[in-house]
Amino acid sequence: MNAEIKAFDMGPIDIAWCPGCGNFGILNVLKEAVAELNLAPENLMMVSGIGQAAKEPHYLKCNVFNGLHGRAVPPATAIKAANPGLTVIVDSGDGDMYGEGGNHFIHAIRRNPDITVIVHNNMVYGLTKGQASPTSRIGFKTPIQVEGVFEEPFNPLSVAIALDAPFVARAFAGDPEKTKEILKKAIQHRGFSLVDIFQPCVSFNKINTYQWFKDNTYYLEDAHDPQERSAAFRRAIEDEKLPLGIFYINEKRTIFEDKLAAYRKNKAPLFDRAVNYDKLSELINSRKR
Amino acid sequence: MNAEIKAFDMGPIDIAWCPGCGNFGILNVLKEAVAELNLAPENLMMVSGIGQAAKEPHYLKCNVFNGLHGRAVPPATAIKAANPGLTVIVDSGDGDMYGEGGNHFIHAIRRNPDITVIVHNNMVYGLTKGQASPTSRIGFKTPIQVEGVFEEPFNPLSVAIALDAPFVARAFAGDPEKTKEILKKAIQHRGFSLVDIFQPCVSFNKINTYQWFKDNTYYLEDAHDPQERSAAFRRAIEDEKLPLGIFYINEKRTIFEDKLAAYRKNKAPLFDRAVNYDKLSELINSRKR
Amino acid sequence: MRNELSIVLCGEAGQGIQTVENVLTRVLKLSGYHVFATKEYMSRVRGGCNSTSIRVSSKRLSAYVDRIDILVPLGKERTKHLNKRITKDTRILVEHEQIAVENKIYTNIAAVGVLSGVIGADKKVLSDYLSGYFSAKGAKTIEENQKAAGKGYELGINLASSGKFALKIDPDPKVKNEIMISGAEAIGLGALMGGCNFISAYPMTPSTGVFTFLAQNAAGLEIVSEQAEDEIAAINMAIGAWYAGARAMVTTSGGGYDLMQEGMSLAGMLETPVVVSLGMRPGPATGLPTRTEQGDLDLALYSGHGEFPRAIFAPGSLEQAVELSRRAFDTADKFQVPVFILSDQYLVDSYYNLPSIDIPKEPPKKYFIKTAKDYRRYELTENGLSPRGVPGFGEGLVAADSDEHDEEGHITEDLELRKRFVEKRMNKLKLLEEEALEPELIGEKNSRILIVGWGSNFGIIKEALSALGRNDISFLHFPQVYPLPKSTMGHLRLAKRVIAIENNARGQFAELIEKLTGIKITERILKYDGLPFSVEELVSRIKEKAGK
Amino acid sequence: MRNELSIVLCGEAGQGIQTVENVLTRVLKLSGYHVFATKEYMSRVRGGCNSTSIRVSSKRLSAYVDRIDILVPLGKERTKHLNKRITKDTRILVEHEQIAVENKIYTNIAAVGVLSGVIGADKKVLSDYLSGYFSAKGAKTIEENQKAAGKGYELGINLASSGKFALKIDPDPKVKNEIMISGAEAIGLGALMGGCNFISAYPMTPSTGVFTFLAQNAAGLEIVSEQAEDEIAAINMAIGAWYAGARAMVTTSGGGYDLMQEGMSLAGMLETPVVVSLGMRPGPATGLPTRTEQGDLDLALYSGHGEFPRAIFAPGSLEQAVELSRRAFDTADKFQVPVFILSDQYLVDSYYNLPSIDIPKEPPKKYFIKTAKDYRRYELTENGLSPRGVPGFGEGLVAADSDEHDEEGHITEDLELRKRFVEKRMNKLKLLEEEALEPELIGEKNSRILIVGWGSNFGIIKEALSALGRNDISFLHFPQVYPLPKSTMGHLRLAKRVIAIENNARGQFAELIEKLTGIKITERILKYDGLPFSVEELVSRIKEKAGK
Ligand SMILES: Cc1ncc(C[n+]2csc(CCOP(=O)(O)OP(=O)(O)O)c2C)c(N)n1
Ligand SMILES: Cc1ncc(C[n+]2csc(CCOP(=O)(O)OP(=O)(O)O)c2C)c(N)n1
Ligand code: SF4
Ligand code: SF4
Ligand SMILES: [Mg+2]
Ligand SMILES: [Mg+2]
């Protein structure tokens, strides 16, 4: 196993995260997950936006598309559509995905490409030094939210379930084993899979610490049936203690790439195609009438 | 009563909608609602984006901010914050609000300004001549969606409830009386109120017609308790027949304007204020140390 | 005897202008007439007052004229907004209404009949065309329409022979087998020839036509076509698609393009090719959604933060629209830069007959490489071009990064490297300049007065000058507006006077030339009311400026 | 004996540079020294290598120098990226590490002590300042810090008296009572003076400082402050706020501004004022998030589709930052146009002492009117300015429309009206031009060589020229870069040679001048590695260009 993890190792690089940051745990677990799934680096496509979390693709061996803040999902969708053979994972922060990128988040769930979306949810804007993120909890004080956040935190799980997302899960960076299992299932699941991972930011979030997450989370019991949408919603809006695990799975959704006419007869990735001159001539000639 | 409706009448203007369009019904009902609520045109602020629905503010006497496609909610939020004395109503289309404007929709619900958001949901892009909108139903064919829509339709109600929106309702333009009652309640409700109105587009949506909506909708029974979030969600995701009425009410949410420090001591609208030179001097002098 | 006719159809939106236009122009073309058509319309689905102008001639046409020889009001008479164009010579044709008096639904086809008769189109072509056009509606409908058209045709023949039209348009048999396409289709076809196999867009007039054309052909030509949730998604999808080896395009208009600019800047930084088909309409903001303007040249030119090269093509004819759209994909791929196809409502909504479109012998060249294990996406090379790999093709890893990056594509804060990377990227502008298309000179090389134009005004200026028939005025048309070829300076220096003609309020292209060449162009003929120039208007405005 | 010192603190992010910088600069200022400080840092929260440069002098300072007299590495020694700036004259100061050897947490304060001692700052000021600074942490912390600082101070005094520094900086008692602010604070204070009472923004380096400053003062100065979900929301909120009578600003940087451009165009069409504080950093795309560049002038200039006027201010000093930010609000309101405050990372992150900031006697003028019943928002007037009403103030209704509209603000398709409205809007550019700020000329009016600069380079160029001490070179600095005042041409014509100095790769301002005046500026001193010019670098590059 270890041998395979090495395949994703970048060697002695400078990682720009703070010591103790929850991101390290996620990076390790992700490497293990892709190794255990027997993915090859050349076939692994990591896509991110901008933020601390969004640096992650630079820290493992794979193809990297590190795009714009908030805009990880559209290129990921397109890359998958241009080459369905790639395993596409989006890896970004809570601000990236639910703030700047909110519109893509909801519409990608509707579109349902076969990609996995990992969100490092530290309830804060890390890279820009500590402003509130959409998931910051009420009362959280920052240099901008001087009197504390009053906006209702964005609940990615309930929204994803409301959008009938095919795979909705939440994990905690402090629990690598369970997180890895969830990640592996998410990657294997065909369709849009969301894994929101609680990630302590040791520099800017002194409230939602490792301890806080430990004290305020628990795993969904085995009896929880992820096929049951309303029940999943009920669990997703729990707020006393925050459940972890796989909330919701819907196997019935159509997948974006499967619906594309471009692949109906031809399975080759787009880079490997030629213009169909016969069809083109036909089209031009149709304009004679 | 009629006398008051007249107050909102624009006289003999050219309305750019198609004969038979569901928008006419919504316009009439809206005029009646604001008249019955005893609002004065000078105090009524209608904000819209771009689309057929978004032309509505031009068709009644009121203050008008007809902004950009998808961007009705942010200026509406700001106008309300700049002058909480105005009654602010956003009036736009399904593409406008849930497509281009999706990110503002979700974050405005989190922010919760005291505005009413009316969405003319015709399940199509009317003004641009018939492409799918986020609420177009699966299988709907258009010049762009040649083989029919396959994306899961955006469900504004379930998403709003997932975001714990304070007032979530759905109406049908073909039923003016009930729609008016819902609108009045929405306008009176303090906080972000969503009224999604099914609106037949006679030119570009030949599937979801007046008759279709009649056949495929029914009203939530009186026993439905809008305070019950999970129940509201369950009703919102019903898809066999689409319920109408008030799905969800949450009276406990904090309101944006109420949280603004700018109004803590001073209730005047922003236009009516002067710079506080004493405080400003104090601030400058604080920089001596 | 005139050998050319200008017919204008007008009426409310939804009154059937489209049907008359479609049938009439096809029947005329199939009868061997040269046809040019363009439309102006309001931003509404029903009501208002719209019009389509159709020119019919024995010669090739590609320009809009103000003159109305025959005005055909459809539905309620709605000619008011055309008042300025109606003269005593305008014949308002209402005879078709008599024919279809029993059944109004045939009024429009009756009008087609009358007009076909007046011109002398082939009656059999008309009748055959109708049976094809209405084939889905069943035999009865076909028959009734043919009857209405036939009656109209007779009436038209009579009108013509009464001598009131003094018309003799000789058909040109070659035309029968020609194609007829719109500007939107021309751009779409060019894109397909360029290998376009991915389109992501958000609807916006006047760009939707190109998107629709490609969506309609998605299955046949195996294109990934997706309506994005907004323009931001559209451009970021297109960039992702190119990154992965597709050839992607977005279609949009000014306001939508504003939202794409951060993506444009991303393409600049990633050195990922991307093609933007930008259809201009009058701004700012929503402006006049269905009208025309050349107001977004500066926008295309300077859009996206930071500094990076780009190329801008602005077709002046359908032929150019095909060729430049094809070329846009080649240029984007070759130089790894964003490329614009800058059109406008006038261009995309105009159509005319063309001999055909030649499919190039060589398939579109793919510039990306198969990667080796040690592949570095941003390898520093002499000319700034790094071989582009795509993920999944070869053994290498492909890293693209929006931050300043190193040769491998990983984020860096090495500021010396930064400097080299700025130079690497900017150097591609020189390469683009070397391959910039030459402007087309019409007239003498060293005439006293040089008219400068760009984009969609091509045909109109050309016809205006030929109408003026002055050999002291030449016309220089730029199909590529950025970067400009080196020859530009030479062309301009030869002229005593330079007059710029543009469909905007500032003379943006004149300003660009001033900036790039240092030659002042103070004489400008500008228009910014949302309509294209007409040939007549240009004739008189050029006369006014140029003197006798 | 030098009367000026350049101290550089360096170390990993999170090592406490901030504390040393804060305490040292305040203590020095309170001791009567002129202080200038600026920083360069990486886009990360911990680790890497950052530095702050602090200049201490008997004279006013406002420019960055490369020279390092004393380098203070904090934490692990991380001086590598400063290698180019380290010379044999650089003294690397590590003595403070000895002092705090028992308890590392006092190392930084010990360093403050040493430096204060070397310079000869007031020991009591130091001790008092520390008790204020650590007051929240309790008496013990205060005492320990004072002790460490005191030991450091003694050591510093000894070092100084050893003669190794050959330093004599005379304090200027006036300075003690001066204020010290950063560029970010200067913009924020100027905005407040301009009546800013609404800020909506999305965090983005280097614009976040201004946003933070205003958010911090939201309660005290009764400002509506809201972090938007994205930049699109931010600008549309600001426009809505202005429409309703607030005075709103957005803060952003290039990439975020890209997303605001459609909003900019909206402001242009609605003729709603809006103020954009645009802090530049190196692009394209994410680029170098924490570095500096003047690369977005063209972006500001041409952004937003369609044609509409705007004004762009680019402060060159903190004084200008205050004054121009104030003026931005006045200009926006008066002419109903969008106005930019164009700054960059170097400007916002620099600070120095200023005598004070004068609060204008007159409160900001409000240009909107109380509306009458028959109010028409876009009444056509001679100069293009329509009296602006706000909803809820007066009896009138206020309609603002992003479509082309009539005088009432309702959507129109009247194309003659369109033409008049284009002219109405564009005419405001003339009004803006008439009030454009004059550039500041430093040196002789008709010197042989004229250096042209804009924005944040002001202080650096000024000091470089004074160091060069040549009277054949003058310097023309533009605090307003668009529109340019009429006088520009005259200034440039007088010079034999014009050299532009800009912190970008293309020379965007030079290009703008070329375009507006027709005068070619081929001589350019450009820099685009993410760092500001230094005085020394400019001295040598000007020498190189200008010759002896
Ligand atoms: C368009 C744009 N706006 C703003 C920014 C600045 N920015 C960079 S990262 C970031 C937020 C980061 O927060 P999050 O996504 O939660 O990631 P984290 O750093 O917490 O992992 C912001 C606002 C940007 N790069 N681009
Ligand atoms: C940025 C931008 N993108 C696209 C458009 C074009 N556009 C105008 S209205 C519209 C959609 C209208 O659909 P909807 O909001 O559902 O309103 P309806 O016309 O159906 O009432 C679009 C795509 C635009 N005006 N601006
Ligand atoms: S700032 Fe927070 S999220 Fe970013 S690296 Fe540091 S601890 Fe992690
Ligand atoms: S297109 Fe549809 S929505 Fe628009 S006015 Fe016509 S019927 Fe109504
Ligand atoms: Mg975060
Ligand atoms: Mg709609």
Side-chain angles (χ1 to χ4, degrees), chain B residues 40-45 62-64 79 82-87 268-272, chain D residues 243-245 368-372 375 389-399:
Chain B
E42 314 85 69
N43 236 31
L44 176 59
M45 180 73 238
C62 61
N63 296 290
V64 178
I79 292 168
N83 187 351
L86 298 170
T87 298
L270 298 188
F271 76 76
D272 206 16
Chain D
Y243 162 83
F368 60 79
I369 59 157
K370 185 165 182 173
T371 58
Y375 175 71
V390 302
F393 184 46
E395 287 174 65
L397 297 176
V398 182

Side-chain angles (χ1 to χ4, degrees), chain A residues 72-260:
Chain A
V73 167
T77 304
I79 292 167
K80 185 75 186 177
N83 187 351
L86 298 170
T87 298
V88 178
I89 301 179
V90 171
D91 199 3
S92 267
D94 45 343
D96 215 13
M97 188 59 59
Y98 309 134
E100 186 87 49
N103 209 31
H104 312 308
F105 177 72
I106 58 182
H107 290 281
I109 294 178
R110 294 184 45 232
R111 190 174 284 124
N112 198 26
D114 178 20
I115 64 176
T116 303
V117 173
I118 303 173
V119 183
H120 301 216
N121 185 352
N122 55 8
M123 304 180 175
V124 74
Y125 282 6
L127 189 60
T128 48
K129 306 200 169 165
Q131 303 80 18
S133 92
T135 56
S136 292
R137 294 174 67 88
I138 290 178
F140 185 66
K141 288 194 177 155
T142 85
I144 297 289
Q145 286 74 21
V146 185
E147 304 185 347
V149 168
F150 62 83
E151 287 93 341
E152 182 69 22
F154 181 78
N155 184 329
L157 308 183
S158 66
V159 171
I161 296 164
L163 291 160
D164 212 3
F167 185 101
V168 182
R170 181 158 60 198
F172 168 41
D175 186 348
E177 271 316 304
K178 289 249 176 58
T179 301
K180 183 169 71 184
E181 286 323 305
I182 291 172
L183 273 183
K184 282 166 69 177
K185 284 195 184 129
I187 296 169
Q188 284 175 299
H189 193 271
R190 279 204 82 215
F192 185 102
S193 318
L194 170 68
V195 187
D196 184 85
I197 308 184
F198 286 144
Q199 170 244 321
C201 167
V202 298
S203 292
F204 295 114
N205 189 334
K206 310 284 182 179
I207 305 293
N208 310 105
T209 59
Y210 281 97
Q211 193 57 48
W212 188 93
F213 284 118
K214 260 184 212 134
D215 295 346
N216 288 278
T217 58
Y218 72 99
Y219 282 91
L220 290 168
E221 52 285 3
D222 290 346
H224 172 72
D225 176 5
Q227 316 277 348
E228 237 276 69
R229 189 166 168 203
S230 286
F233 181 81
R234 225 179 316 108
R235 304 308 294 268
I237 62 173
E238 281 183 23
D239 202 43
E240 280 286 290
K241 282 209 168 203
L242 305 160
L244 303 171
I246 298 169
F247 285 71
Y248 183 56
I249 291 177
N250 176 355
E251 310 269 7
K252 297 192 210 88
R253 293 276 313 274
T254 311
I255 284 160
F256 179 49
E257 305 87 78
D258 292 354
K259 290 298 284 187
L260 294 172

